[in-house]
Amino acid sequence: MSTETTGAGTGAGGDSRIHNIGYRSYDGPRLGRAYARRSLYSQSLRGAFGLGRSAKSKVLPMLLVAVMCLVAAILVAVAMATPASTKLPIEYTSYAVYLQAVIGLFIAAQAPQSVSRDLRFKSVPLYFSRPIERLDYVVAKYAAMASALFVLTGLPLVILYGGALLAKFDFSDQTAWFGQGLVSVALLSLLFAGLGLVLAALTPRRGFGVAAVIAVLTISYGAVSTVQAIAWSTGSESAVTWLGLFSPITLIDGVQTAFLGATSAFPGGEGPGAAAGAVYLLVVLALVAGSYAVLMRRYRRVGL
C-alpha cells in the first residue's frame, strides 16, 4: 500500500495529511514469455483470416480461402462424375503451383497487415517491454504467417483427398500422394511467409509492402516462366532448369519434382534431376534462414 503526504506548510506547525490512494503490488500469476509468445502467435494467425477484426477485413482472406476450396471441390466433382476415372484430374503437388496467384495475393494482403501496422503506429516497443523479446516477436509472426499459408494451401488438399476416397480410388496411392502434397505446401508456406514478411517489414507503408510482395512472388513467376518457354523453344533445354532458381514458386516446383515424384510445370515437363534438385533445396532453405535473419536484424533496429 502506497501513501502520499502533502503539507500545507514547511514549518513545525504545518498541517499534514496522509491520503490512501489504493496502490497495490501485483500478486497474481506471472505467465511469462511463453504465454506472451503464444498469445501473439494466436492473435497474428487469427488476424491473417480477419478474425477479431472488422467485417471488411474478413472479406478478402475468406474469399481467397473459398476460391482455393471451391476449385478443389469442382475437381473432385469432375472425378466422381467420370466413371472411367481412376485418379484426380490434378496432382496434389501441382495444386499450389496452378493456384499460385491466389496464394500470392493472400500473402501480399496479409503480410503487411501482420507487421507493417506495428511499424507504422510505432507499437513494436510496446511488445518488447517485459516479458516478450525480439526473438519471441519474430518467431510468433513467422510461425503465424506460415501456419496461415499452410491452412490456405493444405485445406484444398484435404478436400481432394476426401473426394478421392469417396470416389474409391486406390487408398495407398492417394495417401502417399496426399502426404507428398502436404510436404510440398509446408515448404511453400515457410518460403512464402519468410519472403512476404521480410518485404512487408521493410516499410511501414502497407501499399508499398503489398506491391513488393506481388512483384516478388507473382510477377517473378510470370517472368521466369516466359523466359523458360523461350529457352525451351530455342533449344536451350539445360537453361530451363537453372532459370527456375529465380522465382519462389518454381523453386518449390523444382524441389517437389526432384524429391517428391511430382510432375514439373516447367516447359516440356522436365524438372531438375537429383543433383539440380539438391541445389534447389539448398536455395529454398537458405531463403528461409535468410528471411528469419533479416527479420531479426530489422527488429533489432526498430525495437527500442
Side-chain angles (χ1 to χ4, degrees), residues 24 36 50 64 74 78 89 95 99 147 178 207 215-216 218 238:
R24 295 181 59 187
L64 296 177
I74 292 173
V78 169
Y95 193 86
L99 274 77
S147 298
F178 174 62
V216 171
T218 303
S238 60

Side-chain angles (χ1 to χ4, degrees), residues 151-171:
V151 171
L152 178 73
T153 55
L155 189 57
L157 299 189
V158 174
I159 295 174
L160 290 175
Y161 181 61
L165 296 184
L166 289 175
K168 298 183 179 179
F169 295 157
D170 185 84
F171 175 79

Side-chain angles (χ1 to χ4, degrees), residues 212-252:
V213 174
I214 290 176
V216 171
L217 299 185
T218 303
I219 296 178
S220 65
Y221 174 69
V224 168
S225 297
T226 301
V227 177
Q228 283 181 319
I230 294 173
W232 177 263
S233 64
T234 57
S236 303
E237 291 85 356
S238 60
V240 172
T241 297
W242 303 114
L243 287 169
L245 294 171
F246 296 96
S247 166
I249 195 65
T250 53
L251 278 170
I252 299 299

Side-chain angles (χ1 to χ4, degrees), residues 19-111:
H19 298 277
N20 181 357
I21 57 179
Y23 288 155
R24 295 181 59 187
S25 61
Y26 176 74
D27 55 4
R30 298 187 181 275
L31 301 176
R33 289 175 57 189
Y35 177 80
R37 185 166 55 243
R38 288 194 303 270
S39 298
L40 181 58
Y41 167 81
S42 174
Q43 181 267 336
S44 300
L45 178 57
R46 286 167 51 83
F49 295 101
L51 303 177
R53 299 166 59 202
S54 65
K56 183 175 68 174
S57 300
K58 297 178 176 66
V59 174
L60 182 59
M62 291 303 179
L63 179 62
L64 296 177
V65 171
V67 169
M68 294 287 289
C69 294
L70 180 61
V71 173
I74 292 173
L75 292 173
V76 167
V78 169
M80 295 181 70
T82 307
S85 178
T86 59
K87 62 180 183 179
L88 294 168
I90 189 173
E91 295 180 358
Y92 295 95
T93 49
S94 300
Y95 193 86
V97 176
Y98 287 134
L99 274 77
Q100 55 83 27
V102 179
I103 301 169
L105 184 58
F106 180 88
I107 188 69
Q110 301 310 314

